[in-house]
Amino acid sequence: MNIRPLIASLVFVVCALPAGAEDGYDLWMRYRAIDAGSYPDLDARVHELVVAPGSATLETAGRELASGLTKLRGRPLSPVPAVTQSGAVLLGTPRSSAEIAGLPLALERAGAEGYVIRSVTLDQKQVTVIAANSDVGALYGAFHFLRLIQTRQKLDALDIVSNPRTQIRVLNHWDNLDGHVERGYAGQSIWDWHKLPGYLDPRYTDYARACASIGINGAVLTNVNANATSLTPSYLEKTAALAGVLRRYGVRVYLTARFSAPIELGGLKTADPLDPAVREWWKAKIDEIYRYVPDFGGFLVKANSEGQPGPQDYRRTHADGANMLAGPLALHGGVVIWRAFVYSNETPDDRAKQAYNEFVPLDGKFASNVLVQVKNGPIDFQPREPFHPLFGAMPKTPLMMEFQITKEYLGFATHLVYLAPLYEEALDSDTWVKGKGSTVAKVVDGELHGYHETGMAGVSNIGADRNWTGSHFDQANWFAFGRLAWDPELSSQSIAEEWVRMTFNSDPAFVRPVVSMMMGSREAVVNYMTPLGLHHLFDTGHHYGPGPWVNNLNRADWNPTYYHRADAAGIGFERGPRGSNATSQYSPRLAAIFADPRKVPEQFLLWFHHVPWDYKTSSGRILWDELVYRYTHGVEVVSQMRRTWAGLEPYVDAERFGQVSSFLAIQEREAQWWRDACIAYFQTFSKRPLPPGVTPPAHPLEYYQSLKFPYAPGR
Amino acid sequence: MNIRPLIASLVFVVCALPAGAEDGYDLWMRYRAIDAGSYPDLDARVHELVVAPGSATLETAGRELASGLTKLRGRPLSPVPAVTQSGAVLLGTPRSSAEIAGLPLALERAGAEGYVIRSVTLDQKQVTVIAANSDVGALYGAFHFLRLIQTRQKLDALDIVSNPRTQIRVLNHWDNLDGHVERGYAGQSIWDWHKLPGYLDPRYTDYARACASIGINGAVLTNVNANATSLTPSYLEKTAALAGVLRRYGVRVYLTARFSAPIELGGLKTADPLDPAVREWWKAKIDEIYRYVPDFGGFLVKANSEGQPGPQDYRRTHADGANMLAGPLALHGGVVIWRAFVYSNETPDDRAKQAYNEFVPLDGKFASNVLVQVKNGPIDFQPREPFHPLFGAMPKTPLMMEFQITKEYLGFATHLVYLAPLYEEALDSDTWVKGKGSTVAKVVDGELHGYHETGMAGVSNIGADRNWTGSHFDQANWFAFGRLAWDPELSSQSIAEEWVRMTFNSDPAFVRPVVSMMMGSREAVVNYMTPLGLHHLFDTGHHYGPGPWVNNLNRADWNPTYYHRADAAGIGFERGPRGSNATSQYSPRLAAIFADPRKVPEQFLLWFHHVPWDYKTSSGRILWDELVYRYTHGVEVVSQMRRTWAGLEPYVDAERFGQVSSFLAIQEREAQWWRDACIAYFQTFSKRPLPPGVTPPAHPLEYYQSLKFPYAPGR
């Protein structure tokens, strides 16, 4: 009797029924069973799992590996204590496993958090070893091995050494205690503070898993616009409960420190960082925090920025403020991460210059456990900015990179914008401060200046939405951030390929067009929102949609008109020596390039220069025509993305296909809105006709100016 | 070869892998496959499904039935056009099916929305017929048939006629346009207004399915504290998109109307309901709404209450306001639902009397398509209230019942409180207005006064949380509301049994203790929060936790002290003739009972009377001792619920077991907090010792008074 068809049909029927919807909850850890015929390596190299007992984290690594491999194989794989056959996968550390201790793995190359994955022969058996010096290293190695299988790599001659290039790889959650996420477009905060510590949502574990799978080792739980209440005992108890969940996955918790907490909680009259009572208060508070969370990571501080209190309120410097906190934290192994995103209450001549002006004089004045966290660009997470001039300018102060994963200025959750090319562009930027190749990546990973602390922060796009990030493709941005924090020199293209294979499927007929769509998506949003170096054209407050005409806000540098400076003569912010001279904040060689409209990369033309409408661009078109062309082209690329996706229906489950289709339709409509509104507005200055054949805006300017969105999310 | 074990193990392995977590998303529509041996009726009576083509709603009914039966059987069941064998299930209407038209089903008994489910013999074949006069009736019948199977009923001699007792069975979503849900404890609103109409979350469909499965046929999408923006074209477009999804499941959409919208949106100087321009504005607006939503249900209005604008602002009556809207709505088949929860800006002598005083004089003055929606009790959704005296007092005005499903005053999402006993107590209350048996249910279903319109509203507990309602057991309250709106005479116990079997499993060893736990849970919360008729002891604003001492709010009737009136002499609100005389609002026979402390049911003792601390209660204990006893007993019942649940681990999946366990632990802690805080506070008046053997409060009163919860959800 041939029972195969019977079994197959039975399995099909019974399993087809309760199969969970493809709602994106699994992220890139979507371990769907792989057909053995299509990938013989899996069968040959994975049929025994050897994990020795160890710490909670090593146990977690073993469980993740067992569960992932079981799902990928479609057959259970339970850990056994020792290698008994070829095809064994051996996971552990020299401490946990005598077999690993006995192998010549040169584990010193793996460092404190890295790992080695290697095909070896052990007692004449072919074995894949995943080994690390630390338990968390083994966990990272386990996820790497799963990734190899998810992306169908050869498993027969592995020799991988991987080692994170930055030490602090951390998500910044801009989450308020009431559950609102500032600039969040994926629902409420995943931290349910009200039910903590009594209820530990299983989602916390899944969050930690996802972080660990891409090497993220820290989470700042609270908003940089900080609330002192998060430092009260009842909230520390909640934080401790969360830390207990995250710890198993090697994720340390951090909190934001409100600088005025000694006044608000401690009843002091001042928060002056040199006041002994203030220093005493913080010391006691920090000691208290470590009683709740023994491996507390430290504080992230936004001070003297956008109304937040800070040391300058007492005529002290950022270094005074940071060092006050750093002292007591150092006793427990914690750090201070001090944000460089500052601006004073007076309108500066050029907001782009402010952080540099305030921080460069402080180089060398920070305590050794202080890192300064710098946004990738000098303004604020725009679709495109040149790299921040602080990178390379503070050789004695560890600078952390701050990327924004949530798309505050890039279309919220509905626009498909793959951000790794933006991150890559920033990291690959050459500062030239120590000659060619002095890239921002080498500043951040400590190589250039020999930083003893390094890190990279991503402003989280995570919320309570079922798919975590508000859209399926926004998951790729979380993934890419983690991968780049681990290795800033990975290519955005290879990360996209990995992610697509892990999240959807490995069919080249699907992977190729989707990766290509992702890779073009960031340039598209630059074009349909802020081409040629334009920036900050967003409508007030919510940053949803265009508002280049906005000119009524209290501070000049809150108004889009401050940034684009369009007039009858031309458009753009003159930041060369004739203007704000922000170009001088870069190294001399770059400064000379940026200062010259003929030399500056055209993508930054209007960032650095006010340029006449009839300026001849590299395409041969005059600036006005080029601007219209870019805006139009941005929309066309989105239309093309829609068509591409529409053709991929056979390769994707209905639920994800449908959501992405709907979102692309929204994106196309909003891209058109951006283009039309901006062209209609800038035309009032250029007074020039649209180039021949170009479709005029659908509505008069007044229509776009009349649109109001009082309930746009994320404020 | 015996392949059974092989197949079984294969099915187990392969299915075990991708099986969705038991996260509660499926609600009571959790159609897990039933082992055929344990329930032979299923195999015998369900192996063919016959559905004729029809409207979208009939098609939906067929699809729901096919999908539900497929899952329950563990084998596909695809619809066929005609009966070919015994065991057929035939679904439809006389219009859709000649076979149904030919059967003597006495379908007139099913009315417009009801159905008949009957075992018949057709051409010598045993057939189960699910028939209705309308497509939506067939949909309701399909869900009823699925429920029969889920609860393992005999299927061999069915003869069911079911017919809703109220016409408008509607959820009130107190959802704001920014996604916040007022008094919501299950995350953000499920309506993602920002992404509408471009994205139709599949969750909207699942919401509509769940509503239809229990007979709910309407949804008020917006908060009763209304926002005129919901009536602007861009929001009507969003509403129309939602209505398109809900319509297939027979769910009509309603909106809340902000009374001042003619000023805010129309630019008028007044919203006076007798002003011709105002009337013209509403007429045009209503016509516009019906262009977007042709089957729009109508408006729910909260006017002149808690700061909302209303007709009294112009010295007009509620009837003037309602009738202005009713006229243009009537042209399209819409209704006005006017809330009776009003209170003026002056503090009344007794807030409990206010709605009666304002509305009784208006009886007979409302247009025929106006219903007045009355909360179950005269104060505000307390753990226990006597029924609202309006019921029975407005024979010429259709009164809708308003129950609160969300647990604003009953422990938010974490307390296990099954509300059907509360609903049942209200519905079963005898008004005596036409002699014995003049129950509130008979007022609401129209029998007592011959109302031509009838309805029941439930304030939704639904949010974006994965399990919809914030906790698994809160799903039962949504379910029970729908079942009671369909048939107000169902017993809360039978509804609980149904729900447990549908949502968890049918094992009596599980069903019995869980139902018993649910049935005792409401009395427990009454005891640990507000025993013996106490009410409104909640802390300010958020209503989280006890605040019986609060006495500093602007309005006297916002303060708990206004309601409990504890003093050296005793405790309670004197509402008899010596006091506010609220008792006189009830029918004479009841009034006499309520007015007499010796006759009033003890559960309402302190609601109606100020009683000395040494008053002898029915238990033989003096009032103070009885109060302490009740508070203590409430906590004990919760502890017992925890123990019961702990013993049920073998019967429940780990995820739901774990969440319920955590929540019961939270509930136990908070019940203790309520007890301790209230005893500590009331003891300052009674000056009496605790009865012997009773544990004193864990902390001094000042501790409880010092607790602050600025970020409690739902405000």
Side-chain angles (χ1 to χ4, degrees):
Chain A
M1 175 179 180
N2 183 355
I3 60 165
R4 284 190 117 188
L6 174 63
I7 292 174
S9 70
L10 240 169
V11 168
F12 170 78
V13 168
V14 180
C15 295
L17 305 180
E22 289 278 7
D23 54 23
Y25 186 81
D26 292 340
L27 296 163
W28 48 87
M29 296 178 294
R30 186 176 160 280
Y31 303 125
R32 294 297 182 272
I34 294 175
D35 172 38
S38 75
Y39 184 43
D41 270 46
L42 179 58
D43 198 42
R45 298 285 165 176
V46 184
H47 46 249
E48 179 170 273
L49 178 58
V50 185
V51 192
S55 71
T57 297
L58 189 59
E59 207 176 276
T60 297
R63 206 174 37 244
E64 285 292 336
L65 196 53
S67 144
L69 293 176
T70 294
K71 290 175 186 165
L72 287 164
R73 286 158 35 99
R75 279 177 297 155
L77 193 72
S78 305
V80 296
V83 172
T84 71
Q85 55 181 310
S86 273
V89 177
L90 172 58
L91 171 74
T93 67
R95 260 192 330 285
S96 79
S97 159
E99 282 165 317
I100 287 174
L103 283 166
L105 296 168
L107 261 181
E108 65 286 357
R109 298 172 301 165
E113 289 187 287
Y115 50 84
V116 166
I117 303 179
R118 203 149 161 209
S119 307
V120 302
T121 305
L122 198 68
D123 293 340
Q124 295 169 311
K125 299 173 193 97
Q126 293 177 326
V127 175
T128 306
V129 182
I130 307 171
N133 294 308
S134 63
D135 294 342
V136 75
L139 178 64
Y140 295 143
F143 280 117
H144 189 135
F145 186 64
L146 288 166
R147 187 163 68 231
L148 293 176
I149 297 172
Q150 288 177 284
T151 57
R152 316 287 171 98
Q153 305 302 305
K154 295 290 291 171
L155 303 176
D156 57 345
L158 295 172
D159 187 10
I160 294 167
V161 183
S162 189
N163 205 339
R165 293 264 301 273
T166 61
Q167 295 159 18
I168 297 173
R169 305 176 296 281
V170 70
L171 290 179
N172 290 185
H173 292 268
W174 288 359
D175 293 16
N176 294 334
L177 301 183
D178 64 1
H180 176 74
V181 181
E182 190 172 327
R183 309 309 178 183
Y185 312 104
Q188 280 190 304
S189 173
I190 57 169
W191 318 127
D192 187 345
W193 292 107
H194 182 70
K195 296 200 192 88
L196 282 167
Y199 177 58
L200 295 171
D201 193 322
R203 193 163 183 137
Y204 304 149
T205 303
D206 291 330
Y207 164 83
R209 294 178 63 218
C211 285
S213 77
I214 50 176
I216 291 172
N217 67 0
V220 185
L221 303 178
T222 48
N223 194 348
V224 288
N225 293 320
N227 183 330
T229 303
S230 64
L231 303 179
T232 59
S234 72
Y235 277 83
L236 292 177
E237 203 186 337
K238 296 168 190 280
T239 292
L242 273 177
V245 176
L246 272 48
R247 184 177 296 121
R248 295 182 73 96
Y249 284 88
V251 179
R252 288 172 83 175
V253 304
Y254 299 69
L255 293 172
T256 48
R258 185 160 164 89
F259 204 79
S260 50
I263 300 171
E264 293 155 16
L265 300 183
L268 302 186
K269 292 233 154 51
T270 177
D272 181 347
L274 300 192
D275 182 284
V278 171
R279 300 174 74 88
E280 193 47 48
W281 188 88
W282 278 113
K283 164 89 172 64
K285 178 54 70 182
I286 287 164
D287 290 346
E288 181 188 8
I289 292 173
Y290 278 92
R291 286 195 296 278
Y292 283 98
V293 186
D295 57 352
F296 179 63
F299 286 138
L300 171 64
V301 185
K302 172 178 179 175
N304 294 119
S305 170
E306 299 183 317
Q308 292 293 304
Q312 295 179 338
D313 302 348
Y314 308 95
R315 299 169 189 252
R316 311 299 184 191
T317 69
H318 287 291
D320 293 330
N323 295 345
M324 167 191 64
L325 299 171
L329 281 166
L331 303 176
H332 302 278
V335 298
V336 174
I337 304 173
W338 196 269
R339 288 178 97 224
F341 180 68
V342 296
Y343 50 91
S344 65
N345 292 327
E346 301 105 58
T347 302
D349 67 327
D350 182 358
R351 185 170 136 195
K353 287 160 59 184
Q354 201 158 356
Y356 181 99
N357 289 342
E358 289 198 24
F359 277 85
V360 167
L362 300 175
D363 192 28
K365 305 212 164 124
F366 288 98
S368 67
N369 61 328
V370 176
L371 300 97
V372 171
Q373 182 170 300
V374 183
K375 293 186 182 186
N376 58 286
I379 295 293
D380 191 15
F381 299 136
Q382 298 300 294
R384 171 167 276 132
E385 302 187 34
F387 72 91
H388 200 297
L390 274 177
F391 291 110
M394 296 188 72
K396 297 179 203 149
T397 309
L399 299 186
M400 273 175 74
M401 172 61 83
E402 178 175 317
F403 286 128
Q404 194 177 43
I405 310 175
T406 188
K407 304 209 307 299
E408 175 180 354
Y409 294 101
L410 290 105
F412 293 8
T414 45
H415 291 212
L416 195 166
V417 184
Y418 176 52
L419 295 176
L422 185 163
Y423 304 158
E424 186 176 43
E425 183 176 296
L427 291 165
D428 288 354
S429 297
D430 200 336
T431 68
W432 285 90
V433 295
K434 292 195 175 184
K436 184 167 167 55
S438 304
T439 62
V440 170
K442 287 183 181 162
V443 174
V444 170
D445 73 11
E447 185 183 329
L448 201 68
H449 303 304
Y451 293 158
H452 54 282
E453 303 260 14
T454 57
M456 202 184 287
V459 180
S460 157
N461 62 352
I462 297 163
D465 272 8
R466 182 64 183 167
N467 64 21
W468 297 91
T469 55
S471 83
H472 297 295
F473 276 89
D474 277 320
Q475 299 179 351
N477 296 325
W478 178 8
F479 181 84
F481 166 75
R483 301 286 290 129
L484 284 166
W486 184 277
D487 183 355
E489 291 184 1
L490 286 175
S491 83
S492 58
Q493 164 110 15
S494 69
I495 296 172
E497 277 169 16
E498 267 180 12
W499 178 81
V500 171
R501 285 159 174 267
M502 295 165 79
T503 306
F504 289 98
N505 63 66
S506 273
D507 191 325
F510 178 79
V511 175
R512 234 178 289 124
V514 173
V515 168
S516 139
M517 188 168 91
M518 291 169 73
M519 291 303 295
S521 61
R522 187 274 186 128
E523 206 60 42
V525 75
V526 168
N527 280 328
Y528 67 71
M529 288 184 179
T530 53
L532 292 166
L534 288 174
H535 49 290
H536 219 305
L537 306 185
F538 297 81
D539 201 1
T540 306
H542 49 61
H543 300 159
Y544 174 64
W549 47 77
V550 173
N551 195 20
N552 61 353
L553 303 178
N554 281 337
R555 278 179 66 118
D557 58 341
W558 285 347
N559 288 305
T561 52
Y562 171 92
Y563 293 99
H564 65 69
R565 307 202 170 192
D567 56 24
I571 181 172
F573 196 128
E574 184 53 51
R575 292 191 167 110
R578 296 181 302 117
S580 77
N581 206 19
T583 52
S584 69
Q585 294 185 334
Y586 292 94
S587 64
R589 177 166 178 143
L590 265 188
I593 292 171
F594 287 167
D596 183 345
R598 305 267 144 219
K599 291 188 186 154
V600 69
E602 204 162 62
Q603 61 192 17
F604 298 130
L605 181 62
L606 306 181
W607 183 282
F608 285 116
H609 298 287
H610 191 74
V611 178
W613 292 110
D614 60 356
Y615 179 90
K616 189 71 88 54
T617 68
S618 63
S619 66
R621 286 183 281 264
I622 62 163
L623 179 67
W624 165 248
D625 291 355
E626 181 68 14
L627 200 65
V628 173
Y629 167 78
R630 298 266 182 139
Y631 269 115
T632 306
H633 183 61
V635 181
E636 285 164 358
V637 172
V638 177
S639 302
Q640 181 55 51
M641 285 161 63
R642 264 191 90 181
R643 286 191 294 274
T644 299
W645 185 255
L648 296 172
E649 186 161 11
Y651 301 95
V652 204
D653 51 279
E655 187 166 348
R656 290 191 294 176
F657 179 80
Q659 189 187 86
V660 174
S661 300
S662 294
F663 285 10
L664 283 169
I666 292 172
Q667 183 177 6
E668 188 182 37
R669 201 160 53 240
E670 295 186 351
Q672 187 75 46
W673 163 36
W674 265 95
R675 172 211 180 262
D676 288 357
C678 291
I679 289 179
Y681 171 70
F682 289 130
Q683 197 172 26
T684 65
F685 298 98
S686 82
K687 312 270 191 212
R688 288 169 183 269
L690 296 181
V694 168
T695 314
H699 302 278
L701 176 59
E702 295 66 35
Y703 166 81
Y704 301 107
Q705 291 175 324
S706 77
L707 298 176
K708 293 281 168 280
F709 303 93
Y711 308 108
R715 284 195 76 163
Chain B
M1 174 181 177
N2 183 353
I3 61 166
R4 283 192 120 188
L6 174 63
I7 292 173
S9 71
L10 240 169
V11 167
F12 170 78
V13 167
V14 182
C15 294
L17 305 180
E22 288 279 7
D23 54 23
Y25 186 80
D26 292 341
L27 295 163
W28 48 86
M29 297 178 294
R30 186 177 160 279
Y31 303 124
R32 294 297 182 272
I34 294 175
D35 171 39
S38 74
Y39 185 44
D41 270 46
L42 179 58
D43 197 44
R45 297 287 165 173
V46 184
H47 45 249
E48 179 170 274
L49 177 58
V50 186
V51 192
S55 71
T57 297
L58 188 59
E59 208 176 273
T60 298
R63 205 174 40 244
E64 286 292 336
L65 196 54
S67 145
L69 293 176
T70 294
K71 289 174 184 168
L72 287 164
R73 286 158 34 99
R75 281 177 295 158
L77 193 73
S78 306
V80 295
V83 173
T84 71
Q85 55 181 313
S86 273
V89 177
L90 171 59
L91 171 74
T93 66
R95 259 193 330 284
S96 79
S97 159
E99 282 164 317
I100 287 174
L103 284 166
L105 296 168
L107 261 181
E108 66 284 357
R109 298 172 301 165
E113 290 188 286
Y115 50 84
V116 166
I117 303 179
R118 204 151 160 206
S119 307
V120 303
T121 305
L122 198 69
D123 293 339
Q124 294 169 310
K125 300 174 194 94
Q126 291 177 327
V127 174
T128 307
V129 181
I130 307 170
N133 295 308
S134 63
D135 294 342
V136 75
L139 178 65
Y140 295 142
F143 280 116
H144 189 134
F145 186 65
L146 289 165
R147 188 163 69 231
L148 293 176
I149 297 172
Q150 287 177 284
T151 57
R152 315 289 171 98
Q153 305 303 304
K154 296 289 291 171
L155 303 177
D156 57 345
L158 296 172
D159 187 12
I160 293 167
V161 183
S162 190
N163 205 338
R165 293 265 300 272
T166 60
Q167 296 159 17
I168 297 174
R169 304 176 299 280
V170 70
L171 290 179
N172 290 185
H173 291 269
W174 289 358
D175 292 16
N176 294 335
L177 301 184
D178 65 1
H180 177 75
V181 182
E182 190 172 327
R183 310 307 179 186
Y185 312 104
Q188 281 190 305
S189 173
I190 56 168
W191 319 127
D192 187 345
W193 291 107
H194 181 70
K195 297 202 191 86
L196 281 167
Y199 177 59
L200 295 172
D201 193 322
R203 195 164 182 135
Y204 304 149
T205 303
D206 291 329
Y207 164 83
R209 293 179 63 219
C211 285
S213 77
I214 49 176
I216 290 172
N217 66 1
V220 185
L221 303 179
T222 47
N223 193 348
V224 288
N225 293 320
N227 184 330
T229 303
S230 64
L231 303 179
T232 58
S234 72
Y235 276 84
L236 291 177
E237 203 188 338
K238 295 167 190 281
T239 292
L242 273 177
V245 176
L246 272 48
R247 184 177 295 121
R248 294 182 74 95
Y249 285 88
V251 179
R252 288 172 82 174
V253 303
Y254 299 69
L255 292 172
T256 47
R258 184 160 164 90
F259 204 77
S260 51
I263 300 171
E264 293 156 17
L265 300 183
L268 303 186
K269 293 235 153 49
T270 177
D272 180 346
L274 300 191
D275 183 283
V278 171
R279 300 174 75 86
E280 191 49 47
W281 187 89
W282 278 112
K283 163 89 171 65
K285 179 54 70 180
I286 287 165
D287 291 345
E288 182 189 7
I289 292 173
Y290 278 91
R291 286 195 295 275
Y292 283 98
V293 185
D295 57 352
F296 178 65
F299 286 137
L300 172 64
V301 185
K302 172 179 179 176
N304 293 119
S305 170
E306 299 183 319
Q308 293 293 305
Q312 294 178 339
D313 302 348
Y314 308 95
R315 299 166 190 255
R316 312 299 184 189
T317 69
H318 287 291
D320 294 331
N323 294 346
M324 167 190 63
L325 299 171
L329 281 167
L331 304 175
H332 301 279
V335 298
V336 174
I337 304 173
W338 196 267
R339 285 178 99 226
F341 179 68
V342 296
Y343 52 90
S344 66
N345 292 326
E346 301 106 60
T347 302
D349 66 327
D350 181 358
R351 186 171 135 196
K353 286 160 59 183
Q354 200 160 353
Y356 181 100
N357 289 342
E358 289 198 25
F359 277 85
V360 168
L362 299 176
D363 191 29
K365 304 214 165 120
F366 288 98
S368 66
N369 61 329
V370 176
L371 301 97
V372 171
Q373 182 170 302
V374 183
K375 293 186 183 186
N376 59 287
I379 295 293
D380 190 17
F381 299 136
Q382 297 299 293
R384 170 167 278 133
E385 302 187 34
F387 73 88
H388 200 297
L390 275 177
F391 291 109
M394 295 189 73
K396 298 182 202 145
T397 309
L399 298 187
M400 273 175 74
M401 172 60 83
E402 177 175 317
F403 284 128
Q404 194 177 44
I405 310 174
T406 188
K407 302 210 307 300
E408 174 181 355
Y409 294 101
L410 290 104
F412 293 7
T414 45
H415 292 212
L416 195 166
V417 183
Y418 175 52
L419 295 176
L422 185 163
Y423 304 157
E424 186 177 41
E425 184 176 296
L427 291 166
D428 288 353
S429 296
D430 200 335
T431 68
W432 284 90
V433 296
K434 292 193 173 184
K436 186 168 167 51
S438 303
T439 62
V440 170
K442 286 184 181 160
V443 174
V444 170
D445 73 12
E447 185 183 328
L448 201 68
H449 303 304
Y451 293 157
H452 55 281
E453 303 261 12
T454 57
M456 203 185 286
V459 179
S460 158
N461 62 351
I462 298 164
D465 272 7
R466 182 65 183 167
N467 65 20
W468 298 91
T469 55
S471 84
H472 297 295
F473 276 89
D474 277 320
Q475 298 180 351
N477 296 326
W478 178 7
F479 180 84
F481 166 75
R483 301 285 289 129
L484 284 167
W486 185 276
D487 182 356
E489 292 185 359
L490 286 175
S491 85
S492 57
Q493 164 110 16
S494 69
I495 295 171
E497 278 169 15
E498 266 181 11
W499 177 80
V500 171
R501 286 160 174 266
M502 295 165 80
T503 306
F504 288 97
N505 63 66
S506 274
D507 191 325
F510 178 79
V511 175
R512 235 179 289 124
V514 173
V515 168
S516 139
M517 189 170 89
M518 291 169 72
M519 290 303 294
S521 61
R522 188 275 185 126
E523 206 60 41
V525 75
V526 168
N527 280 328
Y528 66 71
M529 288 184 178
T530 53
L532 292 167
L534 287 174
H535 49 289
H536 219 306
L537 305 185
F538 296 81
D539 201 2
T540 306
H542 49 62
H543 300 159
Y544 174 63
W549 46 78
V550 173
N551 195 21
N552 61 352
L553 303 178
N554 281 338
R555 279 179 68 119
D557 59 342
W558 284 348
N559 288 305
T561 52
Y562 171 93
Y563 294 99
H564 65 69
R565 308 202 169 191
D567 55 25
I571 182 172
F573 196 128
E574 184 54 51
R575 291 191 167 111
R578 296 181 303 118
S580 77
N581 205 20
T583 51
S584 69
Q585 293 185 335
Y586 292 94
S587 64
R589 175 164 180 147
L590 264 188
I593 293 171
F594 289 166
D596 183 347
R598 304 267 145 219
K599 292 189 186 152
V600 70
E602 205 163 63
Q603 61 192 18
F604 298 130
L605 180 62
L606 306 182
W607 183 282
F608 285 116
H609 298 287
H610 191 74
V611 178
W613 292 110
D614 61 356
Y615 179 91
K616 190 71 91 48
T617 68
S618 64
S619 66
R621 287 183 281 265
I622 61 163
L623 178 67
W624 165 248
D625 290 357
E626 180 68 15
L627 200 64
V628 173
Y629 167 78
R630 298 267 181 137
Y631 269 115
T632 306
H633 183 61
V635 181
E636 285 165 357
V637 172
V638 177
S639 301
Q640 181 54 52
M641 284 160 63
R642 265 191 89 181
R643 284 193 295 274
T644 300
W645 185 254
L648 297 171
E649 186 160 11
Y651 302 95
V652 203
D653 51 280
E655 186 166 348
R656 290 190 292 175
F657 180 79
Q659 188 186 88
V660 173
S661 300
S662 294
F663 284 10
L664 284 170
I666 292 171
Q667 183 176 8
E668 188 182 37
R669 202 161 52 241
E670 295 185 350
Q672 187 74 47
W673 164 35
W674 264 96
R675 172 211 179 263
D676 287 357
C678 291
I679 288 180
Y681 171 70
F682 289 130
Q683 198 172 27
T684 64
F685 299 99
S686 81
K687 313 271 190 209
R688 288 169 182 270
L690 296 180
V694 168
T695 314
H699 303 278
L701 176 60
E702 296 65 36
Y703 166 81
Y704 301 106
Q705 291 175 325
S706 76
L707 298 175
K708 293 283 169 279
F709 304 92
Y711 308 108
R715 282 193 78 164

